[in-house]
Amino acid sequence: MNTDNDVNPIGLIKGLGLNRRQFLAATTGMAAAAATASTVSLAGPAGAAGSPNGLLIPAPRRGIILYTVRDAISRDPSTSPYASGFKAVLEELSRIGYRQIEFAGFNQNVNAPGGNVNSVAGAQLLRTWLDDNGLEAEGNHGSVPSVVTDTTLAAFDAACEVANILGMGHIGTGSDPTNSAYVADWAAAAERWDLLGARAATHGLKLYTHNHDIAYSFLLDSGPLDAQGRPTRSSGIRRLEYFLANTDPKNVFLEMDIYWAHVAKYKHTAYTAADGSTVTSIFDPAAVVAAQTKRFPLFHAKDGKSNPGTANGYDMVPFGTGDIDYATFLRRVGSKGSHNPMWEQDTAPGGTANPGQSLALAKISYDNMAALRG
C-alpha cells in the first residue's frame, strides 16, 4: 500500500480528485502551456474572448474535428508541399485561429514527424504539439465497447489514459449507441453506457456519443409485435430522447451534430402510433438541447445548404455558407459560451484535384465562426 501522505490507497491525489496518471499528465503540459501563454493568445487572430457583446462562439471555444482535414493528416510530407501530418496541420490550424481540437483517431502518414503516434508515447508527443500551438484537445471519436468484458474494459481504460495525457475533458465515439430501432436494444445500450460513463468519470472524463439523423428517428416501442416478438409501432419518442431519459445525466453526455439533427427535422416527420394512425411530429434540435443543455458539452458545427431534391434535404458546406440558422440555434440552447462547437465538414477534402481544399475551408469556416453574433 502506498503510504505517501499526498496519495490515498486508491491513488487519488488529495484535494485534486486526480489519479496519479491524470496528475502527471496534467503537470506534463504545465510548463509548455506556461511558455506558450507568452507567445500565443487565446484570442487568436479574430480577437479576444471579451469581444463585443453578441459574440456567440468565444475565441477559446472555436474548434475543429480533425476528420474534416483527414486528407492532410494522412498525407505524406515527403511528396506534398501542403501541410501534412499532425504536427504541421496543428500548426496551421493554430495559425488560422482554432483553439480546440477533437481527434478522429490517432493515425497519420508514417513519414510524418513522429511516425506512428497511436500509442502512449505518441500521445505524449501529440500533447507537446498541442501545447506548443496553444491548442486544447476536447475529445476523440474513438471506440466505445459494444460488449462489456474484462478485455473491452481494459481497452477502454487505456483509451481514457491516452485522453488524460492529451488533456481531454471528454471521450467518445462518432457512432450512435446502437443502430437498432427497437426499445429493448436501446435499453441495453443505456445500461452499458451508464456503466462506461461511470467508469470514464473515475478517469475525470465525460463520456459522449455523437448522432446521425437516424438516431433522432422514432423508436419502435409499442403496437403489435412482429414474428420475433418486437414492437412494430411507436409512442412518438425518438431514439436518442429515450437514451437521454434512461441514462445518468452525471455520466453520459451527447455531442449534437447540428447538421444531422436538422436532417432529422427534414426526414423524420411522422410515426405510426400504436393504433395504426399516422402522427406528424416535427423535430426541434435546439429545444432538445435547451431542455438539458449541460448534457451537450460538445457540438459539431456542421453547416448545410438546403437542397430538397436530395434524401437528406441539405448539402454539406463550409460553416456560415449554408442555411442552418446557427445564430438562432446558439441563442436558444442556453448556457451561452459554455458549449464547445467543433467545425466539421465530411466533404472538405479536395482529393488530388485540390489538395489544399480542406485547410482552405478551415480558414473560411473559422472566420465565419468568429463573425457569428446574436
Side-chain angles (χ1 to χ4, degrees):
M1 179 179 296
N2 193 321
T3 58
D4 187 326
N5 290 332
D6 293 325
V7 183
N8 69 20
I10 62 171
L12 294 181
I13 310 300
K14 291 183 177 179
L16 296 179
L18 302 176
N19 63 38
R20 182 174 293 278
R21 178 175 286 276
Q22 290 169 320
F23 179 76
L24 292 174
T27 54
T28 295
M30 285 181 181
T36 300
S38 65
T39 57
V40 180
S41 166
L42 282 178
S51 295
N53 290 337
L55 188 67
L56 289 174
I57 307 177
R61 293 185 180 273
R62 295 173 198 150
I64 181 173
I65 180 169
L66 296 183
Y67 181 74
T68 301
V69 292
R70 60 193 180 277
D71 59 326
I73 299 293
S74 62
R75 194 157 46 212
D76 185 346
S78 69
T79 62
S80 175
Y82 296 94
S84 305
F86 280 116
K87 185 175 187 294
V89 170
L90 292 174
E91 290 169 353
E92 179 64 12
L93 293 174
S94 176
R95 187 195 66 77
I96 289 170
Y98 288 100
R99 288 295 169 258
Q100 294 195 343
I101 298 295
E102 185 179 20
F103 284 87
F106 304 110
N107 294 317
Q108 66 170 354
N109 190 282
V110 295
N111 292 326
N116 181 8
V117 293
N118 195 3
S119 64
V120 169
Q124 292 167 340
L125 184 58
L126 286 169
R127 177 61 184 268
T128 298
W129 294 337
L130 291 167
D131 291 340
D132 287 348
N133 289 287
L135 297 169
E136 180 180 289
E138 285 297 328
N140 176 47
H141 276 201
S143 177
V144 171
S146 58
V147 178
V148 174
T149 66
D150 289 345
T151 300
T152 60
L153 286 177
F156 183 73
D157 286 338
C160 289
E161 291 180 2
V162 167
N164 276 315
I165 292 169
L166 289 167
M168 294 180 186
H170 314 85
I171 187 169
T173 176
S175 302
D176 297 315
T178 173
N179 293 323
S180 171
Y182 299 106
V183 64
D185 295 322
W186 279 89
E191 182 178 359
R192 183 176 72 255
W193 275 69
D194 265 342
L195 185 155
L196 294 169
R199 198 172 186 97
T202 67
H203 293 272
L205 299 167
K206 293 179 178 179
L207 178 67
Y208 69 96
T209 183
H210 163 280
N211 67 276
H212 295 90
D213 71 280
I214 194 67
Y216 285 118
S217 65
F218 297 98
L219 187 71
L220 295 179
D221 60 356
S222 62
L225 303 181
D226 66 13
Q228 286 75 45
R230 300 171 302 187
T232 57
R233 296 174 184 171
S234 180
S235 65
I237 190 169
R238 297 174 189 268
R239 300 181 192 184
L240 272 178
E241 290 176 324
Y242 175 91
F243 182 76
L244 281 173
N246 288 276
T247 49
D248 188 337
K250 298 190 303 295
N251 293 327
V252 179
F253 300 86
L254 274 80
E255 172 183 63
M256 178 179 276
D257 186 304
I258 299 168
Y259 170 89
W260 288 117
H262 280 75
V263 171
K265 179 179 181 179
Y266 174 81
K267 288 174 65 174
H268 308 300
T269 60
Y271 63 92
T272 303
D275 63 2
S277 62
T278 299
V279 180
T280 298
S281 176
I282 305 302
F283 185 54
D284 186 345
V288 169
V289 179
Q292 40 190 326
T293 187
K294 291 184 179 180
R295 293 198 77 177
F296 293 83
L298 306 175
F299 291 140
H300 270 183
K302 182 187 298 178
D303 210 345
K305 187 75 173 176
S306 180
N307 186 353
T310 63
N312 290 331
Y314 293 92
D315 296 324
M316 293 181 193
V317 294
F319 186 88
T321 67
D323 296 316
I324 295 176
D325 187 351
Y326 270 90
T328 298
F329 178 90
L330 292 172
R331 285 199 305 269
R332 288 184 60 203
V333 297
S335 296
K336 178 182 176 183
S338 67
H339 301 283
N340 300 286
M342 304 291 166
W343 173 58
E344 182 180 40
Q345 185 179 335
D346 302 10
T347 58
T352 56
N354 191 355
Q357 177 174 286
S358 64
L359 285 170
L361 296 184
K363 176 66 166 65
I364 292 170
S365 294
Y366 177 87
D367 289 346
N368 287 337
M369 291 175 81
L372 189 66
R373 282 167 171 76

